[in-house]
mmCIF file of all heavy atoms in Angstrom:
data_model
loop_
_atom_site.group_PDB
_atom_site.id
_atom_site.type_symbol
_atom_site.label_atom_id
_atom_site.label_comp_id
_atom_site.label_asym_id
_atom_site.label_seq_id
_atom_site.Cartn_x
_atom_site.Cartn_y
_atom_site.Cartn_z
ATOM 1 N N ALA A 112 100.484 100.919 90.618
ATOM 2 C CA ALA A 112 100.635 100.635 89.187
ATOM 3 C C ALA A 112 101.290 101.801 88.446
ATOM 4 O O ALA A 112 102.158 101.596 87.584
ATOM 5 C CB ALA A 112 99.276 100.305 88.574
ATOM 6 N N ILE A 115 104.998 101.802 89.282
ATOM 7 C CA ILE A 115 105.698 100.692 88.625
ATOM 8 C C ILE A 115 105.809 100.930 87.127
ATOM 9 O O ILE A 115 106.852 100.659 86.518
ATOM 10 C CB ILE A 115 104.979 99.366 88.926
ATOM 11 C CG1 ILE A 115 105.141 99.007 90.415
ATOM 12 C CG2 ILE A 115 105.515 98.231 88.050
ATOM 13 C CD1 ILE A 115 104.265 97.874 90.880
ATOM 14 N N LYS A 116 104.749 101.451 86.519
ATOM 15 C CA LYS A 116 104.750 101.727 85.076
ATOM 16 C C LYS A 116 105.891 102.677 84.702
ATOM 17 O O LYS A 116 106.587 102.482 83.692
ATOM 18 C CB LYS A 116 103.408 102.342 84.671
ATOM 19 C CG LYS A 116 103.341 102.890 83.252
ATOM 20 C CD LYS A 116 103.197 101.816 82.215
ATOM 21 C CE LYS A 116 102.926 102.423 80.848
ATOM 22 N NZ LYS A 116 102.782 101.404 79.796
ATOM 23 N N ASN A 119 109.127 100.552 85.082
ATOM 24 C CA ASN A 119 109.286 99.431 84.155
ATOM 25 C C ASN A 119 107.996 99.230 83.374
ATOM 26 O O ASN A 119 107.058 98.600 83.866
ATOM 27 C CB ASN A 119 109.652 98.156 84.920
ATOM 28 C CG ASN A 119 109.907 96.977 83.990
ATOM 29 O OD1 ASN A 119 109.642 97.026 82.789
ATOM 30 N ND2 ASN A 119 110.413 95.888 84.541
ATOM 31 N N PRO A 120 107.907 99.728 82.146
ATOM 32 C CA PRO A 120 106.687 99.594 81.347
ATOM 33 C C PRO A 120 106.336 98.150 80.991
ATOM 34 O O PRO A 120 105.204 97.883 80.572
ATOM 35 C CB PRO A 120 107.011 100.395 80.074
ATOM 36 C CG PRO A 120 108.173 101.250 80.428
ATOM 37 C CD PRO A 120 108.943 100.520 81.462
ATOM 38 N N ASP A 121 107.267 97.223 81.175
ATOM 39 C CA ASP A 121 107.013 95.810 80.864
ATOM 40 C C ASP A 121 106.625 94.999 82.099
ATOM 41 O O ASP A 121 106.574 93.767 82.047
ATOM 42 C CB ASP A 121 108.257 95.178 80.228
ATOM 43 C CG ASP A 121 108.637 95.831 78.913
ATOM 44 O OD1 ASP A 121 107.723 96.162 78.133
ATOM 45 O OD2 ASP A 121 109.844 96.019 78.670
ATOM 46 N N ALA A 122 106.332 95.669 83.176
ATOM 47 C CA ALA A 122 106.110 94.980 84.444
ATOM 48 C C ALA A 122 104.827 94.165 84.456
ATOM 49 O O ALA A 122 103.810 94.532 83.840
ATOM 50 C CB ALA A 122 106.065 95.992 85.583
ATOM 51 N N ASN A 123 104.887 93.046 85.163
ATOM 52 C CA ASN A 123 103.715 92.264 85.547
ATOM 53 C C ASN A 123 103.599 92.360 87.057
ATOM 54 O O ASN A 123 104.612 92.336 87.769
ATOM 55 C CB ASN A 123 103.872 90.806 85.112
ATOM 56 C CG ASN A 123 104.174 90.683 83.634
ATOM 57 O OD1 ASN A 123 103.417 91.159 82.800
ATOM 58 N ND2 ASN A 123 105.305 90.063 83.310
ATOM 59 N N ILE A 124 102.361 92.458 87.558
ATOM 60 C CA ILE A 124 102.167 92.798 88.973
ATOM 61 C C ILE A 124 101.275 91.773 89.664
ATOM 62 O O ILE A 124 100.187 91.445 89.182
ATOM 63 C CB ILE A 124 101.525 94.198 89.110
ATOM 64 C CG1 ILE A 124 102.345 95.259 88.378
ATOM 65 C CG2 ILE A 124 101.368 94.563 90.579
ATOM 66 C CD1 ILE A 124 101.655 96.625 88.308
ATOM 67 N N TRP A 222 98.361 90.786 86.854
ATOM 68 C CA TRP A 222 98.114 91.428 85.566
ATOM 69 C C TRP A 222 99.360 92.160 85.100
ATOM 70 O O TRP A 222 100.259 92.440 85.894
ATOM 71 C CB TRP A 222 96.936 92.401 85.648
ATOM 72 C CG TRP A 222 96.883 93.227 86.907
ATOM 73 C CD1 TRP A 222 97.877 93.972 87.468
ATOM 74 C CD2 TRP A 222 95.760 93.356 87.792
ATOM 75 N NE1 TRP A 222 97.451 94.568 88.627
ATOM 76 C CE2 TRP A 222 96.154 94.214 88.854
ATOM 77 C CE3 TRP A 222 94.455 92.862 87.787
ATOM 78 C CZ2 TRP A 222 95.296 94.564 89.889
ATOM 79 C CZ3 TRP A 222 93.605 93.217 88.822
ATOM 80 C CH2 TRP A 222 94.020 94.053 89.861
ATOM 81 N N SER A 223 99.414 92.467 83.846
ATOM 82 C CA SER A 223 100.479 93.351 83.367
ATOM 83 C C SER A 223 100.092 94.775 83.736
ATOM 84 O O SER A 223 98.906 95.108 83.897
ATOM 85 C CB SER A 223 100.655 93.232 81.849
ATOM 86 O OG SER A 223 99.555 93.817 81.171
ATOM 87 N N VAL A 224 101.089 95.627 83.880
ATOM 88 C CA VAL A 224 100.794 97.004 84.258
ATOM 89 C C VAL A 224 99.970 97.692 83.174
ATOM 90 O O VAL A 224 99.077 98.504 83.471
ATOM 91 C CB VAL A 224 102.099 97.777 84.568
ATOM 92 C CG1 VAL A 224 102.946 98.004 83.314
ATOM 93 C CG2 VAL A 224 101.788 99.096 85.270
ATOM 94 N N ASP A 225 100.193 97.348 81.914
ATOM 95 C CA ASP A 225 99.405 97.936 80.835
ATOM 96 C C ASP A 225 97.948 97.507 80.912
ATOM 97 O O ASP A 225 97.034 98.319 80.694
ATOM 98 C CB ASP A 225 99.982 97.537 79.467
ATOM 99 C CG ASP A 225 101.220 98.339 79.102
ATOM 100 O OD1 ASP A 225 101.443 99.409 79.709
ATOM 101 O OD2 ASP A 225 101.963 97.899 78.208
ATOM 102 N N SER A 226 97.710 96.232 81.226
ATOM 103 C CA SER A 226 96.333 95.723 81.261
ATOM 104 C C SER A 226 95.520 96.375 82.374
ATOM 105 O O SER A 226 94.368 96.777 82.165
ATOM 106 C CB SER A 226 96.333 94.204 81.436
ATOM 107 O OG SER A 226 96.834 93.559 80.291
ATOM 108 N N ILE A 227 96.088 96.482 83.570
ATOM 109 C CA ILE A 227 95.310 97.054 84.667
ATOM 110 C C ILE A 227 95.088 98.549 84.457
ATOM 111 O O ILE A 227 93.981 99.073 84.714
ATOM 112 C CB ILE A 227 95.952 96.781 86.045
ATOM 113 C CG1 ILE A 227 95.039 97.278 87.159
ATOM 114 C CG2 ILE A 227 97.338 97.385 86.158
ATOM 115 C CD1 ILE A 227 93.617 96.703 87.152
ATOM 116 N N LEU A 228 96.085 99.270 83.949
ATOM 117 C CA LEU A 228 95.890 100.698 83.741
ATOM 118 C C LEU A 228 94.904 100.967 82.601
ATOM 119 O O LEU A 228 94.088 101.897 82.682
ATOM 120 C CB LEU A 228 97.221 101.392 83.489
ATOM 121 C CG LEU A 228 98.137 101.494 84.725
ATOM 122 C CD1 LEU A 228 99.439 102.193 84.371
ATOM 123 C CD2 LEU A 228 97.434 102.222 85.867
ATOM 124 N N ALA A 229 94.928 100.140 81.562
ATOM 125 C CA ALA A 229 93.945 100.285 80.481
ATOM 126 C C ALA A 229 92.537 100.028 81.000
ATOM 127 O O ALA A 229 91.578 100.729 80.618
ATOM 128 C CB ALA A 229 94.274 99.333 79.332
#
Side-chain angles (χ1 to χ4, degrees):
I115 291 169
K116 170 77 171 180
N119 183 350
D121 298 320
N123 306 303
I124 305 172
W222 41 51
S223 71
V224 69
D225 282 342
S226 291
I227 185 56
L228 289 180

